[in-house]
């Protein structure tokens, strides 16, 4: 399975961005799509995840109330709506596919190329 994250860019503090993740095949009900980010010099951090079939979601503490993960308009896409962005949200954002709604990167089997999000102060 191949994944591609896109939609990153440069935004000012307080602004919004919407990221999308497209898979090379249909996302199954048992699949989980996770979003992670990695800032320069830091470890990869869990942002959000969604279990496709039941649309159960989970969020990292640093983004709760600001970010929303949801199923996309097609059966192979997931979106991440990011509001009230802060400079500390600056990172490369990745989407990943797994089977457990977990926050550990090791729980995810397939990873896409990242997309850069930069929040200016």
């Amino acid at each position: 399975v191949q994944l591609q994250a896109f939609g990153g860019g440069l935004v000012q503090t307080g602004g919004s961005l919407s990221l999308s993740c497209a898979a090379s095949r249909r996302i199954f009900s048992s699949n989980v799509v996770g979003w992670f980010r990695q800032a320069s010099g830091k470890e990869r951090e869990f942002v959000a995840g969604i279990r496709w079939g039941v649309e159960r979601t989970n969020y990292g503490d640093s983004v709760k109330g600001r970010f929303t993960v949801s199923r996309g308009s097609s059966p192979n896409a997931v979106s991440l709506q990011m509001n009230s962005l802060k400079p500390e949200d600056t990172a490369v954002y990745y989407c990943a596919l797994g089977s457990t709604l977990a926050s550990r990167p090791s729980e995810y089997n397939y990873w896409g190329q990242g997309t850069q999000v930069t929040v200016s102060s």
Side-chain angles (χ1 to χ4, degrees):
V1 180
Q2 294 181 330
L3 300 169
Q4 178 68 52
F6 53 95
L10 175 64
V11 65
Q12 291 185 336
T13 296
S16 299
L17 272 178
S18 181
L19 303 183
S20 295
C21 175
S24 58
R25 59 134 170 98
R26 177 187 173 200
I27 300 172
F28 300 133
S29 298
S30 59
N31 286 150
V32 169
V33 176
W35 285 95
F36 291 79
R37 66 187 182 187
Q38 189 163 18
S40 181
K42 295 188 177 181
E43 293 187 353
R44 195 161 292 192
E45 176 190 14
F46 175 74
V47 174
I50 183 168
R51 181 174 292 283
W52 186 261
V54 296
E55 299 188 68
R56 181 181 175 186
T57 59
N58 191 23
Y59 295 91
D61 289 340
S62 62
V63 306
K64 283 180 181 176
R66 299 188 298 123
F67 290 12
T68 302
V69 61
S70 62
R71 290 168 49 164
S73 56
S74 64
N76 67 332
V78 171
S79 298
L80 181 68
Q81 177 66 38
M82 306 185 296
N83 298 327
S84 302
L85 284 162
K86 306 174 182 180
E88 50 264 44
D89 294 317
T90 295
V92 177
Y93 283 70
Y94 300 89
C95 60
L97 188 70
S99 57
T100 303
L101 189 53
S103 59
R104 295 183 301 275
S106 59
E107 295 289 341
Y108 294 81
N109 307 110
Y110 303 95
W111 291 81
Q113 297 293 323
T115 185
Q116 175 71 47
V117 172
T118 303
V119 184
S120 63
S121 57

